[in-house]
Amino acid sequence: MTDTKQFILNLPKEKRKALEKFFYSLDEFYDTVYLIVQNGHILELNQPDNWEARHKNIEYYRTRVESLLDTIGLDGKELVADIASDYFEDFVHYRNATFTITSERFIEIVRKLQ
């Protein structure tokens, strides 16, 4: 378990409940942010057609998560950066993350962020 995951699990009860209310579970919160970061990085690496516009969309959702975390009383930029750090740690060590979130749930959460 990463330090970031442990930090999330150790949040005060009211902050954990607020995360679970929006993201359904703490694992799905973590997975959502991880996947947002991962998708942005993959776009930057591959730079397919129209990647800049797609990357702006991903950044929009990242800032929406940060703002939501701020309203809960967390430092959104810092927590998202910590999860991003976990992703990049996995990336440089060629580790594949395992997720509890389904594609359908991820899409549902992303839509809620709009």
Side-chain angles (χ1 to χ4, degrees):
M1 177 178 303
T2 68
D3 290 343
T4 305
K5 284 185 178 182
Q6 191 64 51
F7 171 80
I8 294 166
L9 290 175
N10 291 335
L11 286 170
K13 186 176 182 178
E14 69 276 359
K15 291 182 182 180
R16 286 194 320 266
K17 284 195 174 277
L19 285 173
E20 290 169 343
K21 183 177 180 181
F22 190 89
F23 293 96
Y24 305 104
S25 75
L26 298 178
D27 285 335
E28 289 179 320
F29 158 68
Y30 184 90
D31 291 353
T32 297
V33 176
Y34 190 103
L35 287 167
I36 289 170
V37 170
Q38 181 182 51
N39 286 325
H41 183 236
I42 290 169
L43 270 176
E44 288 175 2
L45 288 176
N46 296 328
Q47 296 185 355
D49 292 340
N50 203 23
W51 76 273
E52 294 96 342
R54 292 168 60 191
H55 193 267
K56 282 182 185 179
N57 286 334
I58 290 172
E59 285 303 308
Y60 166 79
Y61 290 109
R62 183 177 175 152
T63 57
R64 294 286 296 161
V65 170
E66 291 170 356
S67 296
L68 177 65
L69 295 174
D70 289 342
T71 64
I72 293 171
L74 299 167
D75 184 338
K77 281 191 180 287
E78 183 176 332
L79 186 50
V80 170
D82 289 345
I83 296 171
S85 179
D86 289 351
Y87 162 71
F88 285 109
E89 181 74 18
D90 289 346
F91 178 78
V92 299
H93 289 100
Y94 301 100
R95 290 188 296 243
N96 292 320
T98 56
F99 302 106
T100 59
I101 195 168
T102 63
S103 297
E104 293 79 15
R105 179 74 85 179
F106 176 73
I107 291 168
E108 180 182 343
I109 292 169
V110 167
R111 286 187 178 144
K112 283 174 63 173
L113 287 168
Q114 293 176 339

